[in-house]
Amino acid sequence: SMVVKITSLWVGSCQVPPQHWEQLVDTKWENLITLEKANRSFDMEISVKKAGIFTFNIGVMLENQASSSGLLRFQVEEPNLQVLTDNGSRIDFGSLPEECSTSLPLVLVNCGTCSVPLSLEIRQPNDLFSFADGSKLS
């Protein structure tokens, strides 16, 4: 059999004491895993609770007392989106008489390096807003 264990965690260049790991990450598995000889691989799911550069030291010990370790490194960043309009980042449709309409071009720019799923939420009655192609918001 083989034992696999997270032995250390760093955020940036700071080592995090084990009693504080839960404040930063959820590992979805126990800190210590025992694998039988037939198993040559295992899945590890890590959910990070804040942005930063994370490094895990993963230790492996075989039943003959031989051991090895490796590092798992990854970086988590906060989404960095900017809204650009003709007025910088301000969105103001102004006042309009009844039965009139106006439009405003709007660009969302992902200034970060990660993919960011987007959705648009208008907090007014949907019949007041539509897309430039005339389709209504649903």
Side-chain angles (χ1 to χ4, degrees), residues 100-116:
C100 290
S101 66
T102 188
S103 64
L104 234 153
L106 162 61
V107 177
L108 296 174
V109 179
N110 182 358
C111 299
T113 58
C114 63
S115 297
V116 180

Side-chain angles (χ1 to χ4, degrees), residues 5-110:
K5 180 180 182 179
I6 296 175
T7 58
S8 302
L9 167 63
W10 291 270
V11 177
S13 61
C14 299
Q15 188 168 0
V16 179
Q19 64 267 26
H20 296 291
W21 291 2
E22 285 184 4
Q23 296 169 10
L24 301 170
V25 296
D26 286 326
T27 57
K28 305 292 183 208
W29 55 284
E30 294 299 319
N31 190 18
L32 184 67
I33 297 176
T34 302
L35 297 174
E36 298 307 318
K37 287 182 182 180
N39 291 344
R40 301 220 175 223
S41 65
F42 63 95
D43 293 327
M44 219 166 73
E45 183 178 330
I46 297 172
S47 177
V48 180
K49 298 178 182 179
K50 58 188 335 178
I53 299 172
F54 291 82
T55 305
F56 290 86
N57 188 55
I58 310 291
V60 178
M61 182 176 282
L62 302 175
E63 61 186 19
N64 66 2
Q65 302 303 311
S67 65
S68 183
S69 65
L71 297 177
L72 170 64
R73 288 189 177 132
F74 55 89
Q75 180 171 349
V76 176
E77 70 176 17
E78 294 286 336
N80 184 359
L81 293 174
Q82 289 190 358
V83 176
L84 300 179
T85 67
D86 289 341
N87 300 347
S89 62
R90 187 167 179 240
I91 302 172
D92 185 358
F93 290 96
S95 298
L96 293 173
E98 263 186 71
E99 304 298 322
C100 290
S101 66
T102 188
S103 64
L104 234 153
L106 162 61
V107 177
L108 296 174
V109 179
N110 182 358

